[in-house]
Coordinates of all heavy atoms in Angstrom, one line a residue:
L188 N 96.2 51.6 78.5 CA 97.3 50.7 78.8 C 96.9 49.1 78.5 O 97.6 48.3 78.9 CB 97.7 50.7 80.3 CG 98.2 52.1 80.8 CD1 98.5 52.1 82.2 CD2 99.4 52.5 79.9
F189 N 95.8 49.0 77.7 CA 95.3 47.7 77.5 C 96.3 46.7 76.8 O 96.5 45.6 77.1 CB 94.0 47.8 76.6 CG 93.3 46.6 76.4 CD1 92.8 45.7 77.4 CD2 93.2 46.0 75.1 CE1 92.1 44.5 77.1 CE2 92.5 44.7 74.8 CZ 92.0 44.0 75.9
F190 N 97.0 47.2 75.8 CA 98.0 46.5 75.1 C 99.5 46.9 75.5 O 100.5 46.4 75.0 CB 98.0 46.7 73.6 CG 96.7 46.1 72.9 CD1 95.7 46.9 72.6 CD2 96.8 44.7 72.7 CE1 94.6 46.3 72.0 CE2 95.6 44.2 72.1 CZ 94.5 44.9 71.8
Y191 N 99.6 47.8 76.5 CA 101.0 48.3 76.8 C 101.9 47.2 77.4 O 101.5 46.4 78.2 CB 100.8 49.4 77.8 CG 102.2 50.1 78.2 CD1 102.9 50.8 77.3 CD2 102.7 49.9 79.5 CE1 104.1 51.4 77.5 CE2 103.9 50.5 79.8 CZ 104.6 51.2 78.9 OH 105.8 51.8 79.2
E192 N 103.1 47.2 76.8 CA 104.2 46.4 77.4 C 105.4 47.3 77.5 O 105.9 47.9 76.6 CB 104.5 45.2 76.5 CG 103.3 44.2 76.4 CD 103.7 43.0 75.4 OE1 104.1 43.3 74.2 OE2 103.7 41.9 75.9
G193 N 105.9 47.4 78.7 CA 107.0 48.3 79.0 C 107.1 48.6 80.5 O 106.6 47.9 81.3
T194 N 107.7 49.8 80.8 CA 107.9 50.1 82.1 C 106.8 51.1 82.7 O 106.3 52.1 82.0 CB 109.2 50.9 82.3 OG1 110.3 49.9 82.1 CG2 109.4 51.6 83.7
V195 N 106.3 50.8 83.9 CA 105.4 51.7 84.7 C 106.0 51.8 86.1 O 106.5 50.8 86.7 CB 104.0 51.2 84.8 CG1 103.3 52.0 85.8 CG2 103.3 51.2 83.5
W196 N 106.2 53.1 86.6 CA 106.7 53.4 87.9 C 105.6 53.6 88.9 O 104.6 54.3 88.6 CB 107.6 54.6 87.9 CG 108.9 54.5 87.1 CD1 108.9 54.7 85.7 CD2 110.2 54.3 87.6 NE1 110.3 54.6 85.4 CE2 111.0 54.4 86.5 CE3 110.7 54.2 88.9 CZ2 112.3 54.2 86.6 CZ3 112.0 54.0 89.0 CH2 113.0 54.1 87.9
Y197 N 105.6 52.9 90.0 CA 104.6 53.1 91.1 C 105.2 53.8 92.3 O 106.3 53.5 92.6 CB 104.1 51.6 91.6 CG 103.2 50.9 90.5 CD1 103.7 50.2 89.5 CD2 101.9 50.8 90.8 CE1 103.0 49.5 88.6 CE2 101.1 50.0 90.0 CZ 101.6 49.3 88.8 OH 100.9 48.6 88.0
K198 N 104.4 54.6 93.0 CA 104.9 55.2 94.2 C 103.7 55.2 95.3 O 102.6 55.5 94.9 CB 105.3 56.6 93.8 CG 105.9 57.4 95.1 CD 104.9 58.5 95.4 CE 105.4 59.3 96.6 NZ 104.4 60.3 97.0
K199 N 104.3 54.8 96.5 CA 103.3 54.8 97.6 C 104.0 55.5 98.8 O 105.1 55.2 99.2 CB 102.9 53.4 98.0 CG 101.9 53.3 99.1 CD 100.5 53.4 98.7 CE 99.5 53.0 99.8 NZ 98.2 53.1 99.3
S200 N 103.3 56.4 99.4 CA 103.8 57.1 100.7 C 103.1 56.5 101.9 O 102.0 56.1 101.9 CB 103.5 58.6 100.7 OG 104.2 59.2 99.5
F201 N 103.9 56.3 103.0 CA 103.3 55.7 104.2 C 104.2 56.1 105.4 O 105.4 56.4 105.3 CB 103.3 54.2 104.1 CG 104.7 53.5 103.9 CD1 105.3 53.0 105.0 CD2 105.3 53.5 102.7 CE1 106.6 52.4 104.9 CE2 106.5 52.8 102.6 CZ 107.1 52.3 103.6
D202 N 103.6 56.0 106.5 CA 104.3 56.0 107.8 C 104.4 54.6 108.4 O 103.6 53.8 108.2 CB 103.5 57.0 108.8 CG 103.4 58.3 108.2 OD1 104.3 58.8 107.5 OD2 102.3 59.0 108.6
Y203 N 105.4 54.5 109.3 CA 105.6 53.1 110.0 C 106.3 53.2 111.2 O 107.5 53.9 111.3 CB 106.3 52.1 109.1 CG 106.1 50.7 109.5 CD1 105.1 50.0 109.2 CD2 107.2 50.2 110.4 CE1 105.0 48.6 109.7 CE2 107.0 48.9 110.9 CZ 105.9 48.2 110.5 OH 105.8 46.9 111.1
S204 N 105.8 52.7 112.3 CA 106.5 52.7 113.6 C 106.5 51.2 114.1 O 105.5 50.5 114.1 CB 105.7 53.4 114.6 OG 105.7 54.8 114.3
K205 N 107.7 50.7 114.3 CA 107.8 49.3 114.8 C 107.1 49.2 116.2 O 107.1 50.0 117.0 CB 109.4 48.9 115.0 CG 110.2 49.0 113.7 CD 111.6 48.6 114.0 CE 112.5 48.6 112.8 NZ 113.9 48.3 113.1
T206 N 106.7 48.0 116.3 CA 106.1 47.6 117.7 C 107.1 47.4 118.7 O 106.8 47.6 119.9 CB 105.2 46.4 117.7 OG1 105.9 45.3 117.2 CG2 104.0 46.6 116.6
Q207 N 108.4 47.1 118.3 CA 109.4 47.0 119.2 C 110.7 47.5 118.6 O 110.9 47.2 117.4 CB 109.6 45.6 119.7 CG 110.7 45.4 120.8 CD 110.5 43.9 121.4 OE1 109.4 43.4 121.7 NE2 111.7 43.3 121.6
A208 N 111.6 48.2 119.2 CA 112.7 49.0 118.5 C 113.6 48.0 117.7 O 114.1 48.4 116.7 CB 113.4 49.8 119.6
D209 N 113.9 46.9 118.3 CA 114.9 46.0 117.7 C 114.2 45.0 116.7 O 114.9 44.1 116.2 CB 115.7 45.3 118.6 CG 115.0 44.3 119.6 OD1 113.7 44.4 119.5 OD2 115.5 43.4 120.3
N210 N 113.0 45.1 116.5 CA 112.3 44.2 115.5 C 112.8 44.5 114.1 O 113.3 45.5 113.8 CB 110.8 44.5 115.5 CG 110.1 43.6 116.6 OD1 110.8 42.9 117.4 ND2 108.8 43.7 116.7
R211 N 112.6 43.6 113.2 CA 113.1 43.7 111.8 C 111.7 43.8 111.0 O 110.5 43.3 111.3 CB 113.8 42.5 111.4 CG 115.0 42.3 112.2 CD 115.6 40.9 112.1 NE 116.1 40.6 110.7 CZ 116.7 39.5 110.3 NH1 116.7 38.4 111.1 NH2 117.2 39.4 109.0
V212 N 111.9 44.4 109.8 CA 110.7 44.7 108.9 C 111.1 44.3 107.4 O 112.3 44.6 107.0 CB 110.4 46.2 108.9 CG1 109.1 46.3 108.0 CG2 109.9 46.6 110.3
F213 N 110.2 43.6 106.8 CA 110.6 43.2 105.4 C 109.4 43.7 104.5 O 108.2 43.7 104.8 CB 110.5 41.7 105.3 CG 111.6 41.0 106.1 CD1 111.5 40.8 107.4 CD2 112.9 40.6 105.4 CE1 112.6 40.2 108.1 CE2 113.8 40.1 106.1 CZ 113.7 39.8 107.5
L214 N 109.8 44.2 103.3 CA 108.8 44.6 102.3 C 108.5 43.4 101.5 O 109.5 42.8 100.8 CB 109.4 45.7 101.4 CG 108.5 46.2 100.2 CD1 107.2 46.7 100.7 CD2 109.2 47.2 99.3
Y215 N 107.3 42.9 101.5 CA 106.9 41.6 100.8 C 106.0 42.0 99.7 O 105.0 42.6 99.9 CB 106.2 40.7 101.8 CG 105.8 39.4 101.3 CD1 106.6 38.3 101.3 CD2 104.5 39.2 100.7 CE1 106.1 37.0 100.8 CE2 104.1 38.0 100.2 CZ 104.9 36.9 100.2 OH 104.5 35.7 99.8
I216 N 106.3 41.5 98.5 CA 105.6 41.6 97.3 C 105.1 40.3 96.7 O 105.8 39.5 96.3 CB 106.3 42.4 96.2 CG1 106.8 43.7 96.8 CG2 105.6 42.6 95.0 CD1 107.9 44.5 95.9
G217 N 103.8 40.1 96.7 CA 103.2 38.8 96.3 C 103.6 38.4 94.8 O 103.9 37.2 94.6
A218 N 103.7 39.4 94.0 CA 104.1 39.3 92.6 C 103.9 40.5 91.9 O 103.1 41.3 92.1 CB 103.3 38.1 91.9
A219 N 104.9 40.8 90.8 CA 104.8 41.8 90.0 C 105.3 41.3 88.6 O 106.5 40.7 88.6 CB 105.7 43.0 90.6
N220 N 104.8 41.7 87.6 CA 105.1 41.0 86.3 C 105.6 42.2 85.4 O 105.0 43.2 85.1 CB 103.8 40.5 85.6 CG 104.2 39.9 84.4 OD1 105.2 39.1 84.3 ND2 103.3 40.0 83.3
Y221 N 107.1 42.0 85.0 CA 107.8 40.8 85.1 C 109.2 41.1 85.7 O 109.6 40.2 86.6 CB 108.0 40.3 83.7 CG 109.0 39.2 83.4 CD1 108.8 37.9 83.8 CD2 110.2 39.6 82.9 CE1 109.7 36.9 83.6 CE2 111.2 38.5 82.7 CZ 110.9 37.2 83.1 OH 111.9 36.3 82.9
E222 N 109.8 42.2 85.3 CA 111.1 42.5 85.9 C 110.8 43.8 86.9 O 110.4 44.8 86.5 CB 112.1 42.9 84.9 CG 113.5 43.1 85.4 CD 114.5 43.2 84.3 OE1 114.5 42.3 83.4 OE2 115.4 44.1 84.4
T223 N 111.2 43.7 88.1 CA 110.9 44.7 89.1 C 112.1 45.1 89.9 O 113.0 44.4 90.4 CB 109.9 44.0 90.1 OG1 108.8 43.3 89.5 CG2 109.4 45.0 91.1
D224 N 112.2 46.5 90.0 CA 113.2 47.2 90.7 C 112.5 47.9 91.8 O 111.6 48.6 91.6 CB 114.1 48.2 89.8 CG 114.9 47.4 88.8 OD1 116.0 47.0 89.0 OD2 114.3 47.2 87.7
V225 N 113.1 47.8 93.0 CA 112.4 48.3 94.2 C 113.3 49.3 94.9 O 114.5 49.0 95.2 CB 112.0 47.1 95.2 CG1 111.2 47.6 96.3 CG2 111.1 46.1 94.4
Y226 N 112.7 50.4 95.4 CA 113.4 51.5 96.0 C 112.6 52.0 97.2 O 111.4 52.1 97.1 CB 113.7 52.7 95.0 CG 114.3 52.2 93.8 CD1 113.6 51.9 92.7 CD2 115.6 52.5 93.5 CE1 114.1 51.6 91.5 CE2 116.3 52.2 92.3 CZ 115.5 51.7 91.4 OH 116.1 51.3 90.0
L227 N 113.3 52.3 98.3 CA 112.7 52.8 99.5 C 113.4 54.0 99.9 O 114.6 54.0 100.2 CB 112.6 51.8 100.6 CG 112.0 52.2 101.9 CD1 110.5 52.6 101.7 CD2 112.1 51.2 103.0
N228 N 112.6 55.2 100.0 CA 113.2 56.4 100.4 C 114.5 56.8 99.5 O 115.4 57.3 100.1 CB 113.5 56.4 101.9 CG 112.3 56.3 102.8 OD1 111.2 56.7 102.4 ND2 112.5 55.6 103.9
G229 N 114.4 56.5 98.2 CA 115.5 56.8 97.4 C 116.6 55.9 97.3 O 117.6 56.0 96.5
Q230 N 116.6 54.7 98.0 CA 117.6 53.7 98.1 C 117.2 52.4 97.4 O 116.1 52.0 97.6 CB 118.0 53.4 99.5 CG 118.6 54.6 100.3 CD 119.9 55.2 99.6 OE1 120.8 54.5 99.4 NE2 119.8 56.5 99.4
K231 N 118.0 51.9 96.5 CA 117.7 50.7 95.9 C 117.7 49.5 96.9 O 118.7 49.2 97.6 CB 118.8 50.5 94.8 CG 118.5 49.1 94.0 CD 117.4 49.3 93.0 CE 117.2 48.0 92.1 NZ 118.1 48.1 90.9
L232 N 116.6 48.7 96.9 CA 116.6 47.4 97.7 C 117.0 46.4 96.9 O 117.6 45.5 97.4 CB 115.1 47.3 98.2 CG 114.5 48.4 99.1 CD1 113.1 48.1 99.5 CD2 115.4 48.6 100.4

């Protein structure tokens, strides 16, 4: 992939339990180059 320019799909599995039921959660991405589409559990974010 040294010279590769194009699309790569990434996938990560995880569990998550809120510390409080009514808390809110945000998926934060520090940077991804260049155009990024994000999906969680099959739904487009």
Side-chain angles (χ1 to χ4, degrees):
L188 300 178
F189 184 63
F190 288 102
Y191 181 67
E192 294 181 306
T194 287
V195 171
W196 297 79
Y197 289 76
K198 181 250 182 182
K199 180 85 165 181
S200 297
F201 63 94
D202 299 331
Y203 192 86
S204 296
K205 297 181 185 179
T206 59
Q207 190 169 312
D209 64 348
N210 276 0
R211 300 165 67 183
V212 182
F213 296 82
L214 177 62
Y215 180 93
I216 300 170
N220 189 37
Y221 166 76
E222 188 169 317
T223 308
D224 295 271
V225 184
Y226 307 83
L227 179 63
N228 296 331
Q230 299 298 310
K231 180 73 174 278
L232 298 178

